[in-house]
């Protein structure tokens, strides 16, 4: 299934009040996704929290999934800023900071929790971020392998699954109070086991 | 919080009809957990599906979480059979078979999805299975390290996080139609990256 993502470029510029309503709706949608999950979030709740009518929401977003996707885009950019990752150390630092953010942790767990009933949402998140970021990460792994910091038979795809998986495991088993430094130690230990020698 | 788990040992043996109701309630609860998730499952739905009254359910289980925990126990044993894992090859085979089972995949994703709102459920699952199985797995990793099949500085705890994480990633990104052989190839590639040389 192909989901048409409603972006700001598709909409008429609108009056300031209309743009305010847009922002309020998208903020409310992201907050509710994080607080209650995709399944328990309704257009009605989003409208109430944003202080607009349901009709105002429906005029902009035909359904909940497209609203939540637009909320992710609004928060993270569309297209999101392509990360420039110099090397594995920078990847470790960036990932640790992101994964230690409590709001980001909850959002990621909510997206995992949505896989079963709202697969389009998880897929949209992956399309928005995954493609660019994952390729940048694969390039870093390949480069580290070529410079001898990873075993010569390392597979960037496997490393990406292995590290992304380690983050799911961290989100599931470590407290949300963990610091970026603790998160970095965790990821460094995983990378060390995967053969990384800086 | 300590959750008192109601086990069959705590209950009077009961008449056959009562045991039938027990089984019907526990089956219905597990099915609904897998189909709808912990958040969307209610005692009312379980009663309806099991063909009993709500009062019949509440007489046995004081709340939904304890009912779902009992359903997991009923399905997997309490205590569950302690696995005997001879070596990493057997661990790979056992894990691949379990992870390739579509019902098990959905259950595991539901348990991950419950972390945010029903943390006691995920914790109970971990208490039921994790403790025994994880220790058995750590022993296998330690043994593989000592026999030279894993790097000498391998850390069984890190390997456990790494492999468990790789399974979360598999559950999130691979189709539920994957075969045990495909799942095994995936896990073997992850273990190879972690330095496993059989």
């Amino acid at each position: 299934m192909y989901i048409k993502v409603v972006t700001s470029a598709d909409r008429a510029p609108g009056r300031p009040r209309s743009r305010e309503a847009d922002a309020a709706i998208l903020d409310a949608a992201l907050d509710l996704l994080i607080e209650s999950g995709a399944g328990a979030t309704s257009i009605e709740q989003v409208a109430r929290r944003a202080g607009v009518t349901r009709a105002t929401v429906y005029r902009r977003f035909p359904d909940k999934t497209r609203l939540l996707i637009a909320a992710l885009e609004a928060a993270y950019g569309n297209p999101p800023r392509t990360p420039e990752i110099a090397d594995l150390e920078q990847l470790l630092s960036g990932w640790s900071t992101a994964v230690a953010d409590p709001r980001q942790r909850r959002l990621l767990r909510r997206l995992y929790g949505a896989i079963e009933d709202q697969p389009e949402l998880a897929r949209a998140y992956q399309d928005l971020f995954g493609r660019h970021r994952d390729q940048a990460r694969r390039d870093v792994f390949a480069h580290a392998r070529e410079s001898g910091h990873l075993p010569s038979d390392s597979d960037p795809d496997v490393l990406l699954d292995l590290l992304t998986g380690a983050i799911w495991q961290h989100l599931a088993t470590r407290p949300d109070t963990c610091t970026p430094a603790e998160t970095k130690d965790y990821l460094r230990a995983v990378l060390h086991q995967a053969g990384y020698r800086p």
Side-chain angles (χ1 to χ4, degrees), chain A residues 16-129:
Chain A
R17 219 178 121 187
S18 173
R19 286 201 300 271
E20 267 172 42
D22 274 1
I25 291 166
L26 294 171
D27 283 353
L30 191 66
D31 285 350
L32 281 164
L33 169 60
I34 292 171
E35 284 169 32
S36 320
T41 295
S42 69
I43 293 265
E44 178 130 29
Q45 289 173 312
V46 171
R48 205 179 314 130
R49 176 153 324 185
V52 302
T53 64
R54 279 176 48 178
T56 302
V57 180
Y58 276 118
R59 229 179 352 256
R60 290 161 166 81
F61 308 99
D63 58 47
K64 180 171 77 175
T65 300
R66 271 172 274 197
L67 166 57
L68 292 175
I69 292 169
L72 290 172
E73 288 186 309
Y76 296 99
N78 176 31
R81 200 169 57 79
T82 304
E84 286 175 39
I85 319 174
D87 55 21
L88 254 173
E89 287 302 310
Q90 208 178 79
L91 184 148
L92 262 177
S93 299
W95 222 335
S96 306
T97 306
V99 171
D101 175 55
R103 194 171 149 90
Q104 187 68 18
R105 292 176 73 81
R106 296 179 69 197
L107 175 60
L108 288 169
R109 284 195 297 259
R110 289 301 188 191
L111 290 170
Y112 198 106
I115 291 171
E116 204 65 22
D117 299 317
Q118 282 89 20
E120 326 84 69
L121 184 63
R123 215 177 303 134
Y125 183 83
Q126 175 62 14
D127 286 347
L128 259 180
F129 304 106

Side-chain angles (χ1 to χ4, degrees), chain A residues 95 126 134 138 141 155-168 190:
Chain A
W95 222 335
Q126 175 62 14
D134 287 355
R138 276 190 207 95
F141 294 138
D155 183 330
D157 287 317
V158 173
L159 281 159
L160 193 59
D161 277 330
L162 186 155
L163 267 184
T164 311
I167 285 174
W168 292 127
V190 169

